[in-house]
Amino acid sequence: MLGLKLPTDPRWVNIVEKNIEEILTDHAFCEQKATSTAISLIVSFPEYTELVQEMTALVKEEISHFKMVHDKIIERGWTLGRDRRDDYVIELMKFFPKGGSRTTQLVHRLLYAALIEARSCERFRLLSEELEDQELATFYRNLMVSEANHYTMFLGFARQYGEKKEVDAKWQQLLEYEAKIMSKLGNSEAIHG
């Protein structure tokens, strides 16, 4: 359903289980960045009323997810660590050239957001199925559904605002590019790493 070209190696969960505190910190900041992305889309493209409405709802949802992850950190006696560099997103953002029309910029941002949500969904599914910590496994199962909905929403908006055939072609190219990025990652306790 997600269309990802390279699934995560299930052994990634073994890396995560050695440092749950790290994955929770990284996850918390992913939720914060998702909130920021939604706000940025509102600020950058206010004339797209339907998008603004959906991004407003997404801001509320993503910040509530941040709080849920932060609460898990506190429950375990830890404090939120500092934000980490996200090599996955840094590499992903190199795919589309800078510039272009406002519509092109919007479509590119929506496709990036869709792919990040799709990969998060895939990783959450893996965590929900493979983590020995059943409380966290259930936590990730519940979040997985939201991520899938976000992925389809962003991709749907890209197809709505761009020319569908062109958007679908770009999406496939982006998926191929992302698979190359993922072939070099998967060795750290990070949601996308």
Side-chain angles (χ1 to χ4, degrees):
M1 177 200 112
L2 298 170
L4 299 171
K5 302 293 185 190
L6 183 65
T8 298
D9 185 327
R11 292 176 294 183
W12 170 74
V13 177
N14 299 334
I15 296 167
V16 168
E17 285 186 315
K18 291 178 184 161
N19 199 341
I20 296 293
E21 186 175 1
E22 276 296 309
I23 194 74
L24 288 174
T25 292
D26 184 69
H27 180 187
F29 281 106
C30 287
E31 298 293 355
Q32 182 272 323
K33 289 169 190 166
T35 305
S36 296
T37 295
I39 292 169
S40 175
L41 286 166
I42 293 168
V43 171
S44 299
F45 303 98
E47 68 273 25
Y48 292 89
T49 302
E50 186 181 356
L51 180 69
V52 170
Q53 293 285 76
E54 289 296 324
M55 291 304 102
T56 301
L58 187 61
V59 166
K60 293 176 186 174
E61 185 178 348
E62 297 288 20
I63 204 66
S64 76
H65 290 173
F66 171 85
K67 180 175 178 359
M68 289 165 58
V69 178
H70 189 237
D71 288 347
K72 288 274 176 229
I73 292 169
I74 293 167
E75 285 168 15
R76 290 167 182 252
W78 301 322
T79 57
L80 180 63
R82 296 187 62 82
D83 190 11
R84 280 99 169 129
R85 173 184 160 102
D86 192 333
D87 291 326
Y88 171 81
V89 172
I90 290 168
E91 288 304 311
L92 200 60
M93 298 305 278
K94 294 177 183 176
F95 182 73
F96 290 122
K98 300 277 185 239
S101 70
R102 280 179 57 71
T103 303
T104 297
Q105 290 175 36
L106 172 59
V107 167
H108 291 176
R109 287 175 67 179
L110 292 167
L111 290 177
Y112 283 136
L115 187 49
I116 291 166
E117 295 286 351
R119 182 57 70 181
S120 297
C121 179
E122 187 249 5
R123 288 282 175 99
F124 289 176
R125 180 194 56 76
L126 200 55
L127 291 170
S128 76
E129 293 172 354
E130 303 292 333
L131 275 175
E132 288 183 22
D133 182 325
Q134 285 307 300
E135 180 198 356
L136 274 185
T138 301
F139 178 69
Y140 280 108
R141 189 171 304 110
N142 293 335
L143 287 177
M144 176 184 66
V145 176
S146 292
E147 301 303 309
N149 290 335
H150 300 165
Y151 146 73
T152 56
M153 175 189 63
F154 281 121
L155 190 54
F157 275 130
R159 288 173 172 152
Q160 178 180 333
Y161 298 133
E163 196 280 308
K164 188 178 179 322
K165 270 189 174 176
E166 186 180 315
V167 169
D168 286 344
K170 285 180 181 180
W171 176 243
Q172 289 305 313
Q173 293 163 4
L174 184 59
L175 286 168
E176 295 290 342
Y177 180 79
E178 193 257 4
K180 291 176 186 161
I181 294 170
M182 290 307 294
S183 71
K184 299 173 193 148
L185 298 175
N187 54 4
S188 71
E189 58 281 292
I191 295 297
H192 303 117

